[in-house]
Amino acid sequence: MATMEAEGGGGGGGFPYWTSVRRRFDPDSAFFSSGNVERELLAKQVALDITEDERYQLQNLMDEESRGVFCPIVGCGAHLTSLENFEDHYNARHTASCSVCSRVYPTSRLLSIHVSEAHDSFFQAKVARGFAMNECLVESCGSKFKTYKARQRHLIDKHKFPTSFEFYKKALPSRKQRQKNQRKQVTHKKEVAPSAMEVENEAVDELVSAVSKLSTSDSPTSISFGRRHTRGLPFVPRAIQRERT
Amino acid sequence: MADDASLLRRDPIKSSVGNVAAQRRRRQAVAVGKERRESLVRAKRFCRIGVSGSANGEGDGEGDGDGDVSPDIDMVVDEEQSVLEAQTSSAVEELKAAIAYQGKGAMQKRVSALRELRRLLSKSEFPPVEAALNAGAIPILVQCLSFGSPDEQLLEAAWCLTNIAAGKPEQTKALLPALPMLIAHIGEKSSLPVAEQCAWALGNVAGEGEELRNILLSQGALLPLARMMLPNKGSTVRTAAWALSNLIKGPDSRGATDLIKIDGVLDAIVRHLKKADEELATEIAWVVVYLSALSNFATNLLVKNDVVQLLVERLATSSSLQLLIPVLRGLGNLVAGDTNTTHTLLLPGSEVTDGVVKVVVKCLKSEHRVLKKEAAWVLSNIAAGSVEHKRLIYSSEALPWLIRLVSSAPFDVRKEVAYVLGNLCVGPTEGDARPYLIQEHLVSLVGGGCLSGFIDLVRSADTEAARVGLQFIELVLRGMPNGEGLKLVEREDGIEAMERFQFHENEDLRNMANGLVDKYFGEDYGDDELAG
């Protein structure tokens, strides 16, 4: 297949900077397939009376057959017939956003967990009284924990999350500014209890600094997945197995 | 095949004829639709009208519309198909009888029977190949190919075999027993029409797949076919070139390396590229495509013999999509395959180079998606050369097109254009060091509005595209003066696009995106805005 850009920028963990290299493709590479299809269609066109319409359809069919994209968002695995559909799918399914702090989550369940943990004073009250309120992020697990830290431990130990994963990532300050300008576009996916709305931004920030462990530094936040073959686990990367680069 | 037959058979016993019939028609329509699609994209070609000079009168084998065969190419209805199959079976039986017959007029009988079978195998979109095979056509046709047979007989038999081989994989494979004889008859001693028809059949067999190609090569098909390509003109040359392009397409490179070494082939290629009509030039161009893709040795020879210049001239003067596709691709393969080509031949400032860029840009401007995509690919490889090459493209008329295309073209075109633009912004790769930035180009491209196109690529579900987009964003963030890059990326919703990767399953992309967000849009970003 094609010789892609060499990994620049040093060893693993460094950013793979753009490198300008020649790319060569084998004759049976997918890169050339639409041209090959075109060749055969044109050769048969007059004899078989292929209409413009049919040619267009055929090209698209060939593309889809070799592409058939799977949604790469964690736990989704939805099959999309074309790349063009992906954006619509993403906007429809993966933009659950918090009406209080405008963070966006890829599933409504995660959004719900976030809202409870970050904006709900009843939730905080129960935590203070010793109830196990922090749910495991993996849907089918069902475990609950008394502290954020304990749940974090569980995610790392049991579900193989990377040690740098932060569910409660500090939002970019600029985001508040940006969202002020876009308030109308924010979708209200979760009904926030009135008392939660009273939780001031300052209180949230205090909560953030108390809870967050890592600063936004070199280690990237990331999610990876423990089990691969079980159904129903939201973080199973089925799409990784099917995805063709 | 059994499925098709059962779809087509009427079932008189079932009641509610209307519903059953409607369902059957629908299934049949789907089956025919799928079959049609598959047959349309095969690298095989039916012979409907016969090779020129054949008993059937004028017309080269394809698409001419002349000749006495009316293209009966509508969707075949139940009765017609089963009648056709029955007729085919009897035609094969007739032929068997004719072969067995030893008396007076035996040859005429044989040719008549062959002709009847050939006619049945040449009409309609889906000739009754299966019926012919089931009736035992292959052994009998092989017999008709025996040495010393009259030309008419050889021609008709080869024609039948051509069409049997033009369909589904199993049908093509059925020709195995016939291969040695077909190869034997493309020698110099055969009459031209016979040789051409046999070459056609072999071309179909080669078009089936790697396994059959290797068998043909082992049986020695390459040399005689190559020789057929040497004369100056004639439909035989064209058919042979087409068959060769199928034969050497690999993925094994031995066909390609062997072909270029045959005496006279290189010269013929050069000659045809220079002077042949567009139809012949098209097939020759495809031969060049496979030679240049599979054999470095061939690439070197082609470049040394000025093939690049010939390809450029064809691109400049032709408007036939059929010709432009392989010529452009051949040029692309030559540029991609060999550092020598870009460094020694395509010297920036030379006439050759200017010519190349000009015709490639012409293809970039074409309305055909394939041409646009592959033209961008060629440009990206030229832009991967020296700084002078980058300057050359940057100051050419390609630039405004590229900037426009990265936002507005179909996805596969946009991705290739992105490679061109990115390559223009970084210096040549030297060892492991991070390439330096060509700020002038970057500023100009971003100023021209290309950033949104890259951010769109970041949002796509295609891993390669997202990676390319993120790499370019990194250049913008790092390389734009006065930290302008950050504001620009934000304005185009680039931060949003990158934050999507927090929950993306590809770890590399996650790390890339998160790394950028953490580094450039970290805690301090936007502080001055809030304070103000």
Side-chain angles (χ1 to χ4, degrees), chain A residues 7 16 18 20 22-23 31 36 44 54 61 63 72 74 87 90 172 175 177-178 221 223 239, chain B residues 36-37 42 329 336 373 377 380-381 416 423 429 467 471 490 499-500 503 505 510 514 521:
Chain A
E7 289 288 317
W18 190 300
S20 98
R22 264 180 306 119
R23 291 172 302 138
F31 180 77
N36 292 340
K44 299 175 177 94
E54 194 172 6
L61 207 65
D63 291 344
V74 160
E87 192 63 18
Y90 186 87
L172 301 173
R175 187 190 261 284
Q177 203 59 33
R178 276 179 280 135
T221 57
I223 310 171
Chain B
R36 177 173 164 94
R37 280 200 306 272
R42 282 190 194 119
R329 192 182 289 184
K373 174 175 113 168
W377 165 60
S380 77
N381 281 337
E416 295 310 310
N423 284 349
T429 313
R467 189 189 165 86
Q471 286 176 314
E490 183 182 12
E499 282 180 335
R500 287 190 186 192
F503 294 98
E505 59 188 18
R510 269 204 317 271
N514 289 334
F521 299 103

Side-chain angles (χ1 to χ4, degrees), chain B residues 142-413:
Chain B
V142 175
Q143 260 190 281
C144 293
L145 286 178
S146 55
F147 292 120
S149 305
D151 276 357
E152 262 189 284
Q153 181 177 316
L154 295 173
L155 191 63
E156 298 285 354
W159 192 337
C160 290
L161 287 167
T162 299
N163 286 349
I164 291 177
K168 304 180 187 172
E170 320 77 61
Q171 295 168 349
T172 308
K173 288 180 185 145
L175 249 80
L176 265 176
L179 297 184
M181 289 312 287
L182 286 170
I183 295 175
H185 285 299
I186 57 176
E188 314 136 329
K189 299 271 173 33
S190 301
S191 75
L192 279 184
V194 169
E196 183 176 350
Q197 194 62 67
C198 292
W200 195 323
L202 291 171
N204 279 344
V205 173
E208 167 46 42
E210 183 180 2
E211 208 185 308
L212 282 171
R213 286 196 269 277
N214 286 336
I215 292 177
L216 284 171
L217 289 170
S218 305
Q219 291 186 358
L222 189 67
L223 183 54
L225 266 181
R227 286 215 192 96
M228 285 171 74
M229 204 177 63
L230 305 188
N232 268 327
K233 58 189 169 83
S235 67
T236 312
V237 185
R238 198 186 77 216
T239 303
W242 165 72
L244 277 169
S245 75
N246 269 356
L247 186 56
I248 64 170
K249 61 167 61 155
D252 196 280
S253 63
R254 75 168 158 141
T257 31
D258 287 345
L259 178 62
I260 199 68
K261 290 179 184 156
I262 295 175
D263 228 359
V265 163
L266 181 59
D267 173 71
I269 290 176
V270 169
R271 212 183 337 122
H272 293 317
L273 280 178
K274 207 179 284 186
K275 292 189 254 170
D277 61 63
E278 290 202 328
E279 283 184 322
L280 174 55
T282 298
E283 304 302 342
I284 297 285
W286 280 107
V287 174
V288 170
V289 164
Y290 291 111
L291 286 172
S292 57
L294 291 166
S295 166
N296 285 332
F297 179 70
T299 299
N300 279 328
L301 274 182
L302 290 167
V303 169
K304 280 205 186 88
N305 283 267
D306 292 330
V307 165
V308 170
Q309 187 55 34
L310 296 173
L311 295 173
V312 167
E313 263 148 37
R314 285 285 180 176
L315 285 175
T317 55
S318 170
S319 52
S320 149
L321 182 61
Q322 263 187 298
L323 176 59
L324 292 173
I325 291 179
V327 173
L328 176 64
R329 192 182 289 184
L331 181 60
N333 284 341
L334 292 175
V335 168
D338 195 34
T339 343
N340 275 332
T341 325
T342 27
H343 283 179
T344 60
L345 176 70
L346 293 179
L347 292 169
S350 78
E351 225 181 281
V352 174
T353 313
D354 285 341
V356 167
V357 173
K358 194 160 175 202
V359 293
V360 174
V361 172
K362 174 187 168 196
C363 292
L364 192 70
K365 294 185 197 172
S366 146
E367 53 173 358
H368 297 288
R369 191 165 139 179
V370 171
L371 288 182
K372 286 204 275 247
K373 174 175 113 168
E374 300 196 14
W377 165 60
V378 180
L379 282 178
S380 77
N381 281 337
I382 300 178
S386 69
V387 176
E388 288 76 28
H389 285 107
K390 295 169 200 278
R391 274 204 206 105
L392 175 66
I393 295 187
Y394 172 76
S395 35
S396 75
E397 49 168 350
L399 203 70
W401 283 89
L402 293 168
I403 294 182
R404 191 174 337 144
L405 287 169
V406 82
S407 303
S408 63
F411 174 77
D412 49 356
V413 176

Side-chain angles (χ1 to χ4, degrees), chain A residues 28-47:
Chain A
D28 53 355
S29 156
F31 180 77
F32 289 133
S33 65
S34 48
N36 292 340
V37 168
E38 199 63 44
R39 173 191 189 187
E40 303 307 337
L41 292 181
L42 286 167
K44 299 175 177 94
Q45 180 147 312
V46 176

Side-chain angles (χ1 to χ4, degrees), chain A residues 178-197:
Chain A
R178 276 179 280 135
Q179 294 304 339
K180 272 185 194 159
N181 305 332
Q182 294 173 19
R183 191 149 286 167
K184 286 175 191 161
Q185 290 171 23
V186 170
T187 37
H188 294 254
K189 290 278 171 88
K190 166 82 181 174
E191 270 291 298
V192 180
S195 53
M197 294 293 272

Side-chain angles (χ1 to χ4, degrees), chain B residues 19-36:
Chain B
N19 194 25
V20 172
Q23 274 181 19
R24 187 164 33 80
R25 264 195 295 281
R26 260 197 302 276
R27 265 180 286 136
Q28 186 182 337
V30 168
V32 171
K34 180 163 185 266
E35 215 178 313
R36 177 173 164 94

